[in-house]
Amino acid sequence: MSGFPKDFYWGGATADFQYEGGFNEGNRGLLSHDYETDGSMEHPRHHTMKLADGTIKNYRSSFFYADQILEDATPVFLDNEYYPSHQAVDFYHHYKEDIKLMADMGFNIYRFSICWSRIYPLGDEEEPNQEGIAFYRDVFEELKKYNIEPMVTICHDEMPMHLALKYNGWSNRHLIDAYVKYAETLFKEFGSYCHYWLTFNEINAVRGFGPCGTRESDGYTRYLADHNMFVASAKTVILGHKYNLENKFGAMYAMSGLYPRTCKPEDMLQSQLARRENWYFIDTMLRGYYHPYAKSIWQHHGFETLEISEEDKKTLYDGQLDFCSFSYYRTNTTQAGDKWFNVGGDNPYLEKTPWGWGVDPLGLRYVLNEIYDRIQKSVFVVENGMGAIDEPDENDYVEDDYRIQYLNDHFKAMRDAITIDGVDCFGYTMWAPIDLVSLSTGEMKKRYGFVYVDMDDKGRGTLKRTPKKSFYWMKHVIETNGNDLE
Ligand code: BGP
């Protein structure tokens, strides 16, 4: 084979609370993220809360970092704060225009997340919200009109607020039933449109109140919550296969590459052991059982063991995922003495984005090989892209040659993994085709899109969409199925 497979999927990916907006429309319930402010590299985002005595307290609870939340703290909206999820970039009212732009680029797949609290506003009521169902039905219809295959993330780092407050989120097994019921509603309502489902987004990275709804941030609570998510995912896979054998399931793993900082044996071993923080999730969900090294992970996080029932073991085995999907943005390095889950680590050989993410196209080939060698199930790159500061001209046009270069180099690495190394990779969805709000910083100026959205960090702007130079470049890539890269 000389290039990408002929039926390769090319598209883009988004998440509801960063993209959709309409937070108080269509009877949508509240999510934990709705209480998360904007931020920046210097000023981390926070959830605004009020204690029983009326004191306002800010908590961090996002990516890789989770504060312990006091028992009497409840989320509150403050007038002097800006909450990016409320409007996001308003896909809720722009979905026809945005999907048309995706179709114009030639997308044959679009990965998006359904907002749990738009379907079940509280998360655990008897009947789903018909207005939410109607909204997503329109989205699916629009995709069908352009022959764009949907790929749905059932839960993208989010938590209906009621489930967090009432049950302490994923630390409670009640969430398993609530989630499976929600997923079943999606199969019933949208099963005729959609066959690719991702049960959880970046499940190896989520923790704490924001994404998992738990007040505690200790290791035991986190891994207990993960276990409950594993069981919920497996039950959903079993059910989804019963609904339709054509249904294919993945989950999503944050798979930044990890290199030892030097070839010193201690650093090599550190890198191998630290990588198990990722394999733990992939192995359990794609092989269907906890590997013996799981115990060492638990101990590393300060507790002896998790009690896993025989019934759960069987569920995990029967509910293995069909393919392995992951996000890849960068590589990190680690050395002896670092924490296992090291998300930094300078690499002197790499250039960095303004947000300090090392740009490493070859690392994508490295990670594709790592995963496929280990799991030997098909893989899908469901997120990759470059967050950059764009400078539009007076017509909002952006000449984003840096983004084109980034994507071109990553596509070549992906092609080589497929054609030279033999990796069965069946698609790629770029993060994020239309500019949207950054997850880690809540900024708008960290832009990824092929399409510029006129909006600033505080949500001001016309929301007008304007294709960038990369839009036309990507259209050509798809037209030529990636066989005319630089
Ligand atoms: C992934 C998330 C996305 C997304 C992306 C880019 O971890 O799944 O939701 O936002 O990272 O990160 P950021 O927005 O922080 O630049």
Side-chain angles (χ1 to χ4, degrees), residues 78-89:
L78 302 176
D79 289 342
N80 58 346
E81 294 282 9
Y82 170 61
Y83 300 94
S85 72
H86 295 192
Q87 169 185 258
V89 293

Side-chain angles (χ1 to χ4, degrees), residues 13-18 45 63-64 111 156-157 201-202 205 252-254 327-329 355 357 382-388 431-432 436-443 446-448:
T14 60
D16 58 274
F17 63 93
Q18 296 169 262
R45 309 183 73 178
F63 235 50
F64 300 122
R111 169 186 172 228
H156 192 118
D157 303 6
N201 186 68
E202 293 195 341
M252 201 282 232
Y253 306 95
S327 67
Y328 173 83
Y329 290 92
W355 281 266
W357 294 15
V382 291
E383 274 185 39
N384 167 247
M386 183 189 201
W431 184 270
L436 44 65
V437 176
S438 156
L439 174 73
S440 55
T441 65
E443 292 166 303
K446 189 180 188 189
R447 294 173 183 272
Y448 285 88

Side-chain angles (χ1 to χ4, degrees), residues 390-462:
D390 289 339
E391 286 177 6
D393 67 13
E394 63 285 4
N395 299 314
D396 278 358
Y397 180 70
V398 178
E399 286 221 25
D400 52 346
D401 291 305
Y402 38 91
R403 185 169 290 109
I404 292 173
Q405 189 68 54
Y406 176 101
L407 294 172
N408 183 79
D409 296 349
H410 282 76
F411 292 173
K412 282 202 304 201
M414 179 166 63
R415 178 198 62 203
D416 291 348
I418 297 170
T419 58
I420 302 173
D421 306 330
V423 174
D424 174 15
C425 172
F426 67 108
Y428 174 96
T429 47
M430 179 269 207
W431 184 270
I434 317 276
D435 287 345
L436 44 65
V437 176
S438 156
L439 174 73
S440 55
T441 65
E443 292 166 303
M444 191 60 202
K445 69 167 179 283
K446 189 180 188 189
R447 294 173 183 272
Y448 285 88
F450 296 121
V451 174
Y452 182 80
V453 176
D454 175 32
M455 190 182 113
D456 71 9
D457 285 344
K458 295 289 178 191
R460 293 166 300 214
T462 61

